[in-house]
Coordinates of all heavy atoms in Angstrom, one line a residue:
M1 N -31.7 -1.1 18.5 CA -30.9 -2.4 18.6 C -29.5 -2.1 18.5 O -29.0 -1.4 17.5 CB -31.4 -3.3 17.4 CG -30.5 -4.5 17.3 SD -30.7 -5.8 18.5 CE -32.2 -6.5 18.0
R2 N -28.7 -2.5 19.5 CA -27.3 -2.3 19.4 C -26.6 -3.3 18.5 O -27.1 -4.4 18.4 CB -26.7 -2.4 20.8 CG -26.8 -1.1 21.6 CD -25.9 -1.1 22.8 NE -24.5 -1.5 22.5 CZ -23.6 -0.7 22.0 NH1 -23.9 0.5 21.7 NH2 -22.4 -1.2 21.7
H3 N -25.5 -3.0 17.9 CA -24.8 -3.9 17.1 C -23.3 -3.9 17.6 O -22.9 -3.0 18.4 CB -24.8 -3.4 15.7 CG -26.1 -3.5 15.0 ND1 -27.1 -2.6 15.3 CD2 -26.6 -4.4 14.1 CE1 -28.2 -2.9 14.6 NE2 -27.9 -4.0 13.9
M4 N -22.6 -4.9 17.2 CA -21.2 -5.1 17.6 C -20.5 -5.7 16.4 O -21.0 -6.6 15.7 CB -21.2 -6.0 18.8 CG -20.0 -5.9 19.7 SD -20.4 -6.7 21.3 CE -20.5 -8.4 20.7
I5 N -19.2 -5.4 16.3 CA -18.4 -6.0 15.3 C -17.7 -7.2 15.9 O -17.2 -7.1 17.0 CB -17.3 -5.0 14.7 CG1 -18.0 -3.8 14.1 CG2 -16.4 -5.6 13.8 CD1 -17.1 -2.6 13.8
R6 N -17.7 -8.3 15.2 CA -17.1 -9.5 15.7 C -16.1 -10.1 14.7 O -16.4 -10.1 13.5 CB -18.1 -10.5 16.2 CG -17.6 -11.7 17.0 CD -18.7 -12.6 17.4 NE -19.5 -12.2 18.6 CZ -19.1 -12.2 19.8 NH1 -17.9 -12.7 20.2 NH2 -19.9 -11.8 20.8
A7 N -15.0 -10.7 15.2 CA -14.0 -11.2 14.3 C -14.3 -12.6 13.8 O -14.9 -13.4 14.5 CB -12.6 -11.2 15.0
E8 N -13.9 -12.8 12.6 CA -13.9 -14.2 12.0 C -12.5 -14.7 11.9 O -11.6 -13.9 11.4 CB -14.6 -14.2 10.7 CG -14.5 -15.6 10.0 CD -15.0 -15.6 8.6 OE1 -15.4 -14.6 8.1 OE2 -14.8 -16.7 7.9
Y9 N -12.2 -15.9 12.4 CA -10.8 -16.4 12.3 C -10.8 -17.5 11.2 O -11.8 -17.8 10.6 CB -10.4 -17.0 13.6 CG -10.4 -15.9 14.7 CD1 -11.5 -15.7 15.5 CD2 -9.2 -15.1 14.9 CE1 -11.5 -14.7 16.4 CE2 -9.2 -14.1 15.8 CZ -10.3 -13.9 16.6 OH -10.3 -12.9 17.6
R10 N -9.6 -17.9 10.9 CA -9.5 -19.0 10.0 C -10.4 -20.2 10.4 O -10.7 -20.4 11.5 CB -8.1 -19.5 9.9 CG -7.2 -18.6 9.0 CD -5.8 -19.3 8.9 NE -5.1 -19.3 10.1 CZ -4.4 -18.3 10.7 NH1 -4.4 -17.2 10.1 NH2 -3.8 -18.5 11.8
A11 N -10.9 -20.9 9.4 CA -11.8 -22.0 9.6 C -11.1 -23.0 10.6 O -9.9 -23.2 10.6 CB -12.2 -22.7 8.3
P12 N -12.0 -23.7 11.4 CA -11.4 -24.7 12.3 C -10.6 -25.7 11.5 O -11.0 -26.1 10.4 CB -12.6 -25.3 13.0 CG -13.7 -24.3 12.7 CD -13.4 -23.6 11.5
E13 N -9.6 -26.2 12.2 CA -8.8 -27.3 11.5 C -9.6 -28.5 11.3 O -10.5 -28.8 12.1 CB -7.5 -27.5 12.3 CG -6.7 -26.3 12.6 CD -6.1 -25.6 11.3 OE1 -6.1 -26.3 10.3 OE2 -5.7 -24.5 11.4
A14 N -9.2 -29.3 10.4 CA -9.8 -30.6 10.2 C -9.8 -31.5 11.4 O -8.7 -31.5 12.1 CB -9.2 -31.4 9.0
P15 N -10.9 -32.1 11.8 CA -10.9 -32.8 13.1 C -9.9 -34.0 13.2 O -9.5 -34.4 14.3 CB -12.3 -33.4 13.2 CG -13.0 -33.1 11.8 CD -12.1 -32.1 11.1
E16 N -9.5 -34.5 12.0 CA -8.6 -35.7 12.1 C -7.1 -35.2 12.4 O -6.3 -36.0 12.8 CB -8.6 -36.5 10.8 CG -8.1 -35.8 9.6 CD -9.3 -35.1 8.9 OE1 -10.3 -34.9 9.5 OE2 -9.2 -34.8 7.7
E17 N -6.9 -33.9 12.3 CA -5.6 -33.4 12.6 C -5.5 -33.4 14.1 O -6.4 -33.1 14.9 CB -5.4 -32.0 12.1 CG -5.6 -31.9 10.6 CD -4.3 -32.2 9.8 OE1 -3.2 -32.3 10.5 OE2 -4.3 -32.3 8.6
E18 N -4.3 -33.6 14.6 CA -4.1 -33.5 16.1 C -3.0 -32.4 16.4 O -2.3 -32.0 15.5 CB -3.6 -34.8 16.6 CG -2.5 -35.4 15.9 CD -2.1 -36.8 16.5 OE1 -1.9 -36.8 17.7 OE2 -2.1 -37.8 15.8
E19 N -3.1 -31.9 17.6 CA -2.1 -31.0 18.1 C -2.1 -29.7 17.2 O -1.1 -29.2 16.8 CB -0.7 -31.5 18.2 CG -0.6 -32.7 19.2 CD -0.8 -32.2 20.6 OE1 -0.4 -31.1 20.9 OE2 -1.5 -33.0 21.3
R20 N -3.3 -29.3 16.9 CA -3.4 -28.0 16.1 C -3.4 -26.8 17.1 O -3.9 -27.0 18.2 CB -4.7 -28.0 15.3 CG -4.8 -29.2 14.3 CD -3.6 -29.3 13.4 NE -3.6 -28.1 12.5 CZ -2.8 -28.0 11.5 NH1 -2.0 -29.0 11.2 NH2 -2.7 -27.0 10.7
P21 N -3.0 -25.7 16.6 CA -3.1 -24.5 17.5 C -4.5 -24.2 17.7 O -5.4 -24.6 17.0 CB -2.4 -23.4 16.6 CG -2.4 -23.9 15.2 CD -2.4 -25.4 15.3
P22 N -4.8 -23.4 18.8 CA -6.1 -23.0 19.1 C -6.8 -22.2 18.0 O -6.1 -21.6 17.2 CB -6.0 -22.2 20.4 CG -4.6 -21.9 20.6 CD -3.8 -22.9 19.8
R23 N -8.1 -22.3 17.9 CA -8.8 -21.6 16.8 C -8.5 -20.1 16.7 O -8.5 -19.5 15.7 CB -10.3 -21.9 17.1 CG -11.1 -21.3 16.0 CD -12.6 -21.7 16.2 NE -13.4 -21.1 15.1 CZ -14.7 -21.3 15.0 NH1 -15.3 -22.0 15.9 NH2 -15.4 -20.8 14.0
R24 N -8.3 -19.5 17.9 CA -8.1 -18.1 17.9 C -6.7 -17.6 17.5 O -6.4 -16.5 17.6 CB -8.5 -17.5 19.2 CG -10.0 -17.5 19.4 CD -10.4 -16.7 20.6 NE -10.0 -15.3 20.4 CZ -10.1 -14.4 21.3 NH1 -10.7 -14.6 22.5 NH2 -9.7 -13.1 21.1
A25 N -5.8 -18.6 17.3 CA -4.4 -18.2 17.0 C -4.4 -17.4 15.7 O -5.1 -17.7 14.8 CB -3.6 -19.5 16.8
G26 N -3.6 -16.4 15.7 CA -3.5 -15.5 14.5 C -4.5 -14.4 14.5 O -5.3 -14.2 15.4
D27 N -4.4 -13.6 13.4 CA -5.3 -12.4 13.3 C -6.6 -12.8 12.7 O -6.7 -13.8 11.9 CB -4.6 -11.4 12.5 CG -3.3 -10.9 13.1 OD1 -3.3 -10.8 14.4 OD2 -2.3 -10.7 12.4
P28 N -7.6 -12.0 12.9 CA -8.9 -12.2 12.2 C -8.7 -12.2 10.7 O -7.8 -11.5 10.2 CB -9.8 -11.0 12.7 CG -9.1 -10.5 13.9 CD -7.6 -10.8 13.8
V29 N -9.5 -12.9 10.0 CA -9.5 -12.9 8.5 C -10.5 -11.9 8.0 O -10.4 -11.3 6.9 CB -9.7 -14.3 7.9 CG1 -8.6 -15.2 8.2 CG2 -11.1 -14.9 8.3
S30 N -11.5 -11.6 8.8 CA -12.5 -10.6 8.4 C -13.3 -10.2 9.6 O -13.3 -10.9 10.7 CB -13.4 -11.0 7.3 OG -14.1 -12.1 7.6
W31 N -14.1 -9.1 9.5 CA -15.0 -8.7 10.6 C -16.4 -8.7 10.1 O -16.7 -8.3 9.0 CB -14.6 -7.2 11.0 CG -13.2 -7.1 11.5 CD1 -12.1 -6.8 10.8 CD2 -12.8 -7.3 12.9 NE1 -11.0 -6.8 11.7 CE2 -11.4 -7.1 13.0 CE3 -13.5 -7.6 14.1 CZ2 -10.7 -7.1 14.2 CZ3 -12.8 -7.6 15.3 CH2 -11.4 -7.4 15.3
H32 N -17.3 -9.1 11.0 CA -18.7 -9.2 10.7 C -19.5 -8.3 11.7 O -18.9 -8.0 12.8 CB -19.2 -10.6 10.8 CG -18.6 -11.5 9.8 ND1 -19.3 -11.8 8.6 CD2 -17.5 -12.2 9.7 CE1 -18.5 -12.6 7.9 NE2 -17.4 -12.9 8.5
M33 N -20.7 -8.0 11.4 CA -21.6 -7.3 12.3 C -22.6 -8.3 12.9 O -23.2 -9.1 12.2 CB -22.3 -6.2 11.6 CG -23.0 -5.2 12.5 SD -22.0 -4.2 13.6 CE -21.4 -3.0 12.4
V34 N -22.7 -8.2 14.3 CA -23.7 -9.1 14.9 C -24.7 -8.1 15.6 O -24.4 -7.0 16.0 CB -23.1 -10.0 16.0 CG1 -22.1 -11.0 15.3 CG2 -22.4 -9.3 17.1
R35 N -25.9 -8.7 15.8 CA -26.9 -7.9 16.6 C -26.8 -8.2 18.1 O -26.5 -9.3 18.5 CB -28.3 -8.3 16.2 CG -28.7 -7.9 14.7 CD -30.2 -8.2 14.5 NE -30.5 -7.8 13.1 CZ -30.5 -8.7 12.1 NH1 -30.1 -10.0 12.3 NH2 -30.8 -8.4 10.9
G36 N -26.9 -7.1 18.9 CA -26.7 -7.3 20.3 C -25.3 -7.8 20.6 O -24.3 -7.3 20.1
E37 N -25.2 -8.9 21.4 CA -23.9 -9.5 21.7 C -23.9 -10.9 21.2 O -23.2 -11.8 21.7 CB -23.6 -9.4 23.2 CG -23.7 -8.0 23.7 CD -23.0 -7.8 25.0 OE1 -22.8 -8.9 25.7 OE2 -22.6 -6.7 25.4
G38 N -24.6 -11.2 20.1 CA -24.7 -12.5 19.6 C -23.4 -13.0 18.9 O -22.5 -12.2 18.7
A39 N -23.4 -14.2 18.5 CA -22.3 -14.8 17.8 C -22.6 -15.2 16.4 O -21.8 -15.8 15.7 CB -21.8 -16.1 18.6
V40 N -23.8 -14.8 15.9 CA -24.2 -15.1 14.5 C -24.2 -13.8 13.8 O -24.9 -12.8 14.2 CB -25.5 -15.8 14.4 CG1 -25.9 -16.0 13.0 CG2 -25.5 -17.1 15.2
A41 N -23.4 -13.7 12.8 CA -23.3 -12.5 12.0 C -24.6 -12.2 11.3 O -25.4 -13.1 11.0 CB -22.2 -12.5 11.0
M42 N -24.8 -10.9 10.9 CA -26.0 -10.5 10.2 C -26.1 -11.2 8.8 O -27.2 -11.4 8.3 CB -26.0 -9.0 10.0 CG -26.2 -8.3 11.3 SD -26.1 -6.5 11.2 CE -27.8 -6.2 10.5
C43 N -24.9 -11.6 8.3 CA -24.9 -12.3 7.0 C -25.2 -13.8 7.2 O -25.3 -14.6 6.2 CB -23.6 -12.2 6.3 SG -22.2 -12.9 7.2
G44 N -25.4 -14.3 8.5 CA -25.7 -15.7 8.7 C -24.5 -16.5 9.2 O -24.7 -17.7 9.6
K45 N -23.3 -16.0 9.1 CA -22.1 -16.7 9.5 C -22.0 -16.9 11.0 O -22.3 -16.0 11.7 CB -20.9 -16.0 9.0 CG -19.6 -16.8 9.1 CD -18.6 -16.4 8.1 CE -17.5 -17.4 8.1 NZ -17.7 -18.5 7.1
E46 N -21.7 -18.1 11.4 CA -21.5 -18.4 12.9 C -20.1 -18.0 13.2 O -19.2 -18.5 12.6 CB -21.9 -19.8 13.2 CG -23.4 -20.1 13.2 CD -23.7 -21.5 13.7 OE1 -23.0 -21.9 14.7 OE2 -24.6 -22.1 13.2
L47 N -20.0 -17.2 14.3 CA -18.7 -16.8 14.7 C -18.4 -17.4 16.1 O -19.3 -17.7 16.9 CB -18.6 -15.3 14.8 CG -18.9 -14.6 13.4 CD1 -19.0 -13.1 13.6 CD2 -17.9 -14.9 12.4
A48 N -17.1 -17.5 16.5 CA -16.8 -18.0 17.8 C -17.3 -17.0 18.9 O -17.1 -15.8 18.8 CB -15.2 -18.1 17.9
P49 N -17.9 -17.6 19.9 CA -18.5 -16.7 21.0 C -17.4 -15.9 21.7 O -17.7 -14.9 22.3 CB -19.2 -17.7 21.9 CG -19.3 -19.0 21.2 CD -18.2 -19.0 20.1
D50 N -16.2 -16.4 21.6 CA -15.1 -15.7 22.3 C -14.3 -14.9 21.4 O -13.2 -14.4 21.7 CB -14.3 -16.6 23.2 CG -13.6 -17.7 22.3 OD1 -13.9 -17.8 21.1 OD2 -12.6 -18.3 22.8
A51 N -14.7 -14.7 20.2 CA -14.0 -13.9 19.2 C -13.9 -12.5 19.6 O -14.7 -12.0 20.4 CB -14.7 -14.0 17.8
D52 N -12.9 -11.8 19.1 CA -12.7 -10.4 19.4 C -13.9 -9.6 19.0 O -14.5 -9.9 17.9 CB -11.4 -9.9 18.7 CG -10.2 -10.0 19.6 OD1 -10.3 -10.4 20.8 OD2 -9.1 -9.7 19.1
T53 N -14.2 -8.5 19.7 CA -15.3 -7.6 19.3 C -14.8 -6.2 19.2 O -13.8 -5.9 19.9 CB -16.5 -7.7 20.2 OG1 -16.0 -7.4 21.5 CG2 -17.1 -9.1 20.2
R54 N -15.5 -5.4 18.5 CA -15.2 -4.0 18.4 C -16.6 -3.3 18.5 O -17.6 -3.8 18.1 CB -14.5 -3.6 17.1 CG -13.1 -4.2 17.0 CD -12.1 -3.6 17.9 NE -10.8 -4.1 17.6 CZ -10.3 -5.2 18.2 NH1 -11.1 -5.9 19.0 NH2 -9.1 -5.7 17.9
P55 N -16.6 -2.0 19.0 CA -17.9 -1.3 18.9 C -18.3 -1.0 17.5 O -17.4 -1.0 16.6 CB -17.5 0.1 19.6 CG -16.0 0.1 19.7 CD -15.5 -1.3 19.6
D56 N -19.6 -1.0 17.3 CA -20.0 -0.9 15.9 C -19.6 0.4 15.2 O -19.6 0.4 13.9 CB -21.5 -1.1 15.7 CG -22.4 0.0 16.4 OD1 -21.8 0.7 17.2 OD2 -23.6 0.0 16.2
D57 N -19.2 1.4 15.9 CA -18.8 2.6 15.2 C -17.4 2.5 14.7 O -16.9 3.5 14.0 CB -19.0 3.9 16.1 CG -18.1 3.8 17.4 OD1 -17.4 2.8 17.6 OD2 -18.3 4.7 18.3
A58 N -16.8 1.4 14.9 CA -15.4 1.2 14.3 C -15.6 0.6 12.9 O -14.6 0.4 12.2 CB -14.6 0.2 15.2
W59 N -16.8 0.3 12.5 CA -17.1 -0.2 11.1 C -16.5 0.8 10.1 O -16.8 2.0 10.2 CB -18.5 -0.4 10.9 CG -18.8 -1.2 9.6 CD1 -19.1 -0.7 8.4 CD2 -18.9 -2.6 9.5 NE1 -19.3 -1.7 7.5 CE2 -19.1 -2.9 8.2 CE3 -18.6 -3.7 10.4 CZ2 -19.2 -4.2 7.7 CZ3 -18.7 -5.0 9.9 CH2 -19.0 -5.2 8.6
G60 N -15.8 0.3 9.1 CA -15.3 1.2 8.1 C -13.9 1.8 8.4 O -13.3 2.4 7.6
T61 N -13.4 1.6 9.7 CA -12.1 2.0 10.0 C -11.1 0.9 9.8 O -11.5 -0.3 9.5 CB -12.0 2.4 11.5 OG1 -12.2 1.3 12.3 CG2 -13.0 3.5 11.8
D62 N -9.8 1.1 9.9 CA -8.8 0.1 9.6 C -8.6 -0.8 10.8 O -8.0 -0.4 11.8 CB -7.5 0.8 9.2 CG -6.5 -0.3 8.8 OD1 -6.8 -1.4 8.7 OD2 -5.3 0.1 8.7
L63 N -9.2 -2.0 10.7 CA -9.0 -2.9 11.8 C -8.1 -4.1 11.4 O -8.0 -5.1 12.1 CB -10.4 -3.5 12.2 CG -11.4 -2.5 12.9 CD1 -12.7 -3.3 13.3 CD2 -10.8 -1.8 14.1
G64 N -7.4 -3.9 10.3 CA -6.4 -4.9 9.9 C -6.9 -6.1 9.2 O -6.2 -6.9 8.8
A65 N -8.2 -6.1 8.9 CA -8.8 -7.2 8.1 C -10.0 -6.6 7.4 O -10.6 -5.6 7.9 CB -9.2 -8.4 9.0
P66 N -10.4 -7.2 6.3 CA -11.6 -6.6 5.6 C -12.9 -6.8 6.3 O -13.0 -7.8 7.1 CB -11.6 -7.4 4.3 CG -10.8 -8.6 4.5 CD -9.8 -8.3 5.6
F67 N -13.8 -6.0 6.0 CA -15.2 -6.1 6.6 C -16.0 -6.9 5.6 O -15.8 -6.9 4.4 CB -15.8 -4.7 6.8 CG -15.2 -3.9 7.9 CD1 -14.2 -3.0 7.6 CD2 -15.6 -4.1 9.2 CE1 -13.6 -2.2 8.6 CE2 -15.0 -3.4 10.2 CZ -14.0 -2.4 9.9
C68 N -17.0 -7.7 6.2 CA -17.9 -8.5 5.4 C -18.9 -7.5 4.7 O -19.5 -6.7 5.3 CB -18.7 -9.4 6.4 SG -20.0 -10.2 5.5
H69 N -18.9 -7.7 3.4 CA -19.8 -6.7 2.6 C -21.2 -7.0 2.9 O -22.0 -6.0 2.9 CB -19.5 -6.9 1.1 CG -18.2 -6.4 0.7 ND1 -18.0 -5.1 0.3 CD2 -17.0 -7.0 0.6 CE1 -16.7 -4.9 0.0 NE2 -16.0 -6.0 0.2
T70 N -21.6 -8.2 3.1 CA -23.1 -8.5 3.3 C -23.5 -7.9 4.6 O -24.5 -7.2 4.7 CB -23.3 -10.0 3.3 OG1 -22.8 -10.6 2.1 CG2 -24.8 -10.3 3.5
C71 N -22.7 -8.1 5.7 CA -23.0 -7.5 7.0 C -23.1 -6.0 6.8 O -24.0 -5.3 7.4 CB -21.9 -7.9 8.0 SG -22.1 -9.5 8.6
G72 N -22.1 -5.4 6.1 CA -22.1 -3.9 6.0 C -23.4 -3.4 5.3 O -24.0 -2.4 5.8
A73 N -23.9 -4.1 4.3 CA -25.1 -3.7 3.6 C -26.3 -3.8 4.5 O -27.1 -2.9 4.6 CB -25.3 -4.5 2.3
L74 N -26.4 -4.9 5.3 CA -27.5 -5.1 6.1 C -27.5 -4.1 7.3 O -28.5 -3.6 7.7 CB -27.5 -6.5 6.7 CG -27.8 -7.6 5.6 CD1 -27.5 -9.0 6.2 CD2 -29.2 -7.5 5.1
Y75 N -26.3 -3.9 7.8 CA -26.2 -3.0 9.0 C -26.6 -1.6 8.6 O -27.3 -0.9 9.3 CB -24.7 -3.0 9.4 CG -24.3 -2.0 10.4 CD1 -24.9 -2.0 11.7 CD2 -23.4 -1.0 10.1 CE1 -24.6 -1.0 12.6 CE2 -23.1 0.0 11.1 CZ -23.7 0.0 12.3 OH -23.3 0.9 13.3
L76 N -26.1 -1.1 7.4 CA -26.5 0.2 7.0 C -28.0 0.4 6.7 O -28.5 1.5 6.8 CB -25.7 0.6 5.7 CG -24.2 0.8 6.0 CD1 -23.4 1.0 4.7 CD2 -23.9 1.9 7.0
R77 N -28.6 -0.7 6.4 CA -30.1 -0.6 6.2 C -30.8 -0.5 7.5 O -31.9 0.0 7.6 CB -30.5 -1.9 5.4 CG -31.6 -1.5 4.4 CD -32.1 -2.8 3.7 NE -31.1 -3.5 3.0 CZ -31.3 -4.7 2.5 NH1 -32.4 -5.3 2.7 NH2 -30.3 -5.3 1.9
E78 N -30.2 -1.1 8.6 CA -30.9 -1.1 9.9 C -30.6 0.2 10.7 O -31.3 0.5 11.6 CB -30.4 -2.3 10.7 CG -31.2 -3.6 10.4 CD -30.9 -4.7 11.4 OE1 -30.5 -4.4 12.6 OE2 -31.2 -5.8 11.1
V79 N -29.4 0.7 10.5 CA -29.0 1.8 11.3 C -29.0 3.1 10.4 O -28.3 3.2 9.5 CB -27.5 1.6 11.8 CG1 -27.1 2.8 12.6 CG2 -27.5 0.3 12.7
P80 N -29.8 4.0 10.8 CA -29.9 5.3 10.0 C -28.6 6.1 10.0 O -27.9 6.0 10.9 CB -31.0 6.1 10.7 CG -31.5 5.3 11.8 CD -30.7 4.1 12.0
Ligands
ZN1 ZN1 -20.9 -11.1 7.6

């Protein structure tokens, strides 16, 4: 099973707000691991389908935002 690192951005703005910047504005707040090319992280978090991705071998390197600890633990259990 292939894995991929996917970015999490700041939570969507409140719907009653108007003229907000697009969801992807700014840098990722953290990185999660997804199975295949999915948009749901291994920890269960739903991520934007168009969020930035990185190859899974970039896990543990400096991507400018922290990695999700839950995803990391699950990933290491699946990948020898
Ligand atoms: Zn996660």
Side-chain angles (χ1 to χ4, degrees):
M1 171 73 77
R2 274 192 54 76
H3 294 74
M4 202 166 66
I5 300 170
R6 191 177 283 280
E8 175 190 356
Y9 299 91
R10 278 187 296 277
E13 307 293 345
E16 64 268 23
E17 301 272 354
E18 49 182 306
E19 297 298 322
R20 304 301 299 189
R23 181 174 181 178
R24 288 193 54 184
D27 297 322
V29 293
S30 63
W31 296 92
H32 295 263
M33 189 68 76
V34 300
R35 293 189 181 91
E37 302 198 340
V40 179
M42 295 177 75
C43 66
K45 188 155 193 86
E46 287 190 34
L47 304 171
D50 62 346
D52 268 356
T53 60
R54 297 287 183 274
D56 64 345
D57 59 6
W59 192 267
T61 65
D62 183 9
L63 294 182
F67 290 95
C68 171
H69 288 275
T70 306
C71 282
L74 293 169
Y75 172 64
L76 291 174
R77 220 184 299 169
E78 277 192 18
V79 178

